[in-house]
Amino acid sequence: MSSTVHAADGRAPLLRTVLAGQVALLAAAVVVTAMWLGRMAAAGVGPAELASGAYDPKDLVPFGLSMANPFTWLYVLVSLLFLAGLVAVPMLALYSAVLLVRDRAGMPRRTWWLLLVVTAGATAVTVLRFSPAGTELTRWWLD
């Protein structure tokens, strides 16, 4: 018996998990960024004013924060994914880059392209998060 585990169809064992995780984390980052940009546009303020505390992201939850409100649960889920993405997105992007290079021949073409697009998105989100605008975005969301 071999100590390594290989998928039956030749793909990396964790490829689907990596893809699903990256898509979920990137979706949360896109949702939070869209809420941030929308809130800035609606209020007519800049990033620094938005993070001052007067424009709380929790105010965007329809019907207010309540455990009986399904939008509260969605807000909590997006918050957890966004915060987990601070650490997980760069690590998953690095692992995906390794998979893109190492397993290109054994991976179906469609899966390889999907992984490439998700890795490029993860790289863009990582760069955004560590930029000054991304810092303001994170500070606003954690307010």
Side-chain angles (χ1 to χ4, degrees):
M1 254 191 163
S2 174
S3 63
T4 59
V5 178
H6 295 287
D9 58 358
R11 287 189 239 168
L14 297 176
L15 182 60
R16 288 183 182 164
T17 305
V18 168
L19 278 172
Q22 274 191 330
V23 168
L25 294 170
L26 290 177
V30 167
V31 166
V32 170
T33 304
M35 290 173 66
W36 183 61
L37 292 172
R39 185 73 167 171
M40 268 195 305
V45 296
E49 293 90 5
L50 201 66
S52 69
Y55 305 97
D56 198 8
K58 291 180 271 315
D59 294 340
L60 297 174
V61 177
F63 312 117
L65 286 177
S66 166
M67 296 314 273
N69 184 0
F71 292 111
T72 299
W73 291 98
L74 185 61
Y75 175 81
V76 169
L77 176 66
V78 169
S79 293
L80 290 175
L81 286 172
F82 181 75
L83 293 175
L86 289 170
V87 174
V89 167
M91 290 190 313
L92 286 173
L94 184 63
Y95 181 69
S96 296
V98 169
L99 288 178
L100 283 169
V101 173
R102 187 186 69 190
D103 297 338
R104 181 177 183 153
M107 196 180 303
R109 188 174 184 161
R110 182 177 173 192
T111 305
W112 189 86
W113 278 104
L114 178 62
L115 189 61
L116 179 66
V117 168
V118 170
T119 304
T123 304
V125 164
T126 301
V127 168
L128 171 71
R129 285 217 172 139
F130 294 110
S131 71
T135 304
E136 293 293 328
L137 166 69
T138 304
R139 187 177 340 157
W140 173 73
W141 189 256
L142 294 176
D143 183 22

